[in-house]
Amino acid sequence: MSAPVIVAVDGPTASGKGTIAQALAAHFGLPHLDTGLLYRAVGRQVALAGGNPDDPADALAGTAFADPLLADPVLRDEATGGLASRVSVHPAVRAALFDRQRAFALQPGGAVLDGRDIGTVIAPEAAAKLFVTASIAARALRRWKEMAARGDARTLAQVEADLALRDKRDRSRAHSPLLAAPDAIVLDTSELDRDAAIAAAIAAVEERLRG
Ligand code: C5P
C-alpha cells in the first residue's frame, strides 16, 4: 500500500489557512482536521471548570474535554481563540493532543491538517506543506468584517491589537512555535481573494505532489 498523502497547512490567525485547508481536502478527496479546534476545546473546558488557562495543571486537565464540545459554536468566538492561545503554550497540553493529531495524519489514504505546527512537529514527513500568511492589516480587516457581520461591535484597531497579541504568543512560545517548516511553500494571501488563494494553494500542492 502506498504511503498516506499528508498535506500540512500552517499559518497565523485569519491568514485564510482554514478555508484553504478545507478546499484542499475537498479537491483531493481527503479528510480534514482543524487542529485549532482541539486547542479551543481545551481552552473552553478550562473556562467551564473555572480553571486558569495560564496554569499548566489546569490547562492539562482541560485536555480531557468530551468530544461533543468540539461542535459547540462558542469555540469559534474570539474569546475562546484567546484561551486556546494561552493553553497551547504548555508542553503537556501539546503532548496530550499529539497522538490524536498524529493518528489523523496517518490514516490510510492521508489527510489535510491545518494548525501552527503540522509541518514541523505533527507530520514533518508531509508530502506537501503550505505556510499561509498575510499582512497583519489584511488579516485584521478580514477578521473585523467577519465579526461585524455577526454583530460584534469591536473596532478594527481592537481586532488588530488582539491578532498582534495572539501572533506574538504563538511565535514566541518555547514549544512548537508558529514557524514555517524549511520545506514549506509560503503562500501570502494579502492581495488574494478567497478563490485566488484556493487556486494558488491547489496549484502549489499539485506541483509538490508531482515531485
Ligand atoms: O487556528 P485557531 O485560531 O483556531 O487556533 C487557536 C489557537 O490554538 C492558536 O492561536 C494557537 O495558539 C493554538 N494552536 C496551536 N497549534 C495548533 C493549532 C492551534 O498552538 N496546531
Side-chain angles (χ1 to χ4, degrees), residues 30-88:
L30 294 171
H32 167 229
L33 180 65
D34 168 3
T35 64
L37 216 48
L38 302 177
Y39 290 92
R40 285 168 180 266
V42 176
R44 176 69 181 157
Q45 182 62 38
V46 171
L48 287 171
N52 173 5
D54 303 320
D55 177 79
D58 284 4
L60 180 60
T63 63
F65 65 82
D67 272 11
L69 183 61
L70 292 168
D72 189 332
V74 80
L75 293 200
R76 305 280 176 193
D77 288 358
E78 284 305 298
T80 313
L83 292 172
S85 150
R86 288 162 66 188
V87 296
S88 71

Side-chain angles (χ1 to χ4, degrees), residues 13 17 35-36 39-40 84-85 88 94 101 115-117 166 170 173:
T13 304
K17 69 178 175 350
T35 64
Y39 290 92
R40 285 168 180 266
S85 150
S88 71
R94 307 199 72 82
Q101 296 174 79
R116 301 292 187 288
D117 61 345
R166 201 116 81 80
D170 287 354
R173 66 175 174 233

Side-chain angles (χ1 to χ4, degrees), residues 110-129:
V112 179
L113 290 88
D114 77 83
R116 301 292 187 288
D117 61 345
I118 308 302
T120 50
V121 175
I122 302 297
E125 78 277 46
K129 301 178 186 178

Side-chain angles (χ1 to χ4, degrees), residues 1-208:
M1 203 173 70
S2 57
V5 174
I6 305 171
V7 179
V9 183
D10 291 304
T13 304
S15 58
K17 69 178 175 350
T19 304
I20 285 174
Q22 267 177 24
L24 288 171
H27 181 81
F28 293 104
L30 294 171
H32 167 229
L33 180 65
D34 168 3
T35 64
L37 216 48
L38 302 177
Y39 290 92
R40 285 168 180 266
V42 176
R44 176 69 181 157
Q45 182 62 38
V46 171
L48 287 171
N52 173 5
D54 303 320
D55 177 79
D58 284 4
L60 180 60
T63 63
F65 65 82
D67 272 11
L69 183 61
L70 292 168
D72 189 332
V74 80
L75 293 200
R76 305 280 176 193
D77 288 358
E78 284 305 298
T80 313
L83 292 172
S85 150
R86 288 162 66 188
V87 296
S88 71
V89 304
H90 304 297
V93 168
R94 307 199 72 82
L97 298 180
F98 179 86
D99 286 352
R100 182 175 188 153
Q101 296 174 79
R102 183 83 188 139
F104 194 92
L106 291 183
Q107 63 189 291
V112 179
L113 290 88
D114 77 83
R116 301 292 187 288
D117 61 345
I118 308 302
T120 50
V121 175
I122 302 297
E125 78 277 46
K129 301 178 186 178
L130 277 185
F131 190 82
V132 183
T133 186
S135 68
I136 181 125
R139 292 189 286 125
L141 188 61
R142 278 179 204 155
R143 186 50 58 91
W144 175 74
K145 281 184 183 162
E146 279 167 26
M147 291 166 85
R150 290 202 306 261
D152 191 315
R154 227 162 309 178
T155 66
L156 180 57
Q158 281 170 322
V159 173
E160 186 166 328
D162 282 353
L163 280 187
L165 181 69
R166 201 116 81 80
D167 279 0
K168 186 161 179 272
R169 210 184 278 132
D170 287 354
R171 288 183 204 276
S172 62
R173 66 175 174 233
H175 296 271
S176 310
L178 169 65
L179 192 71
D183 53 345
I185 305 159
V186 177
L187 178 62
D188 188 324
T189 65
S190 305
E191 307 288 329
L192 303 178
D193 66 15
R194 186 180 183 280
D195 289 350
I198 289 171
I202 290 174
V205 171
E206 276 179 342
E207 194 184 328
R208 201 42 81 86

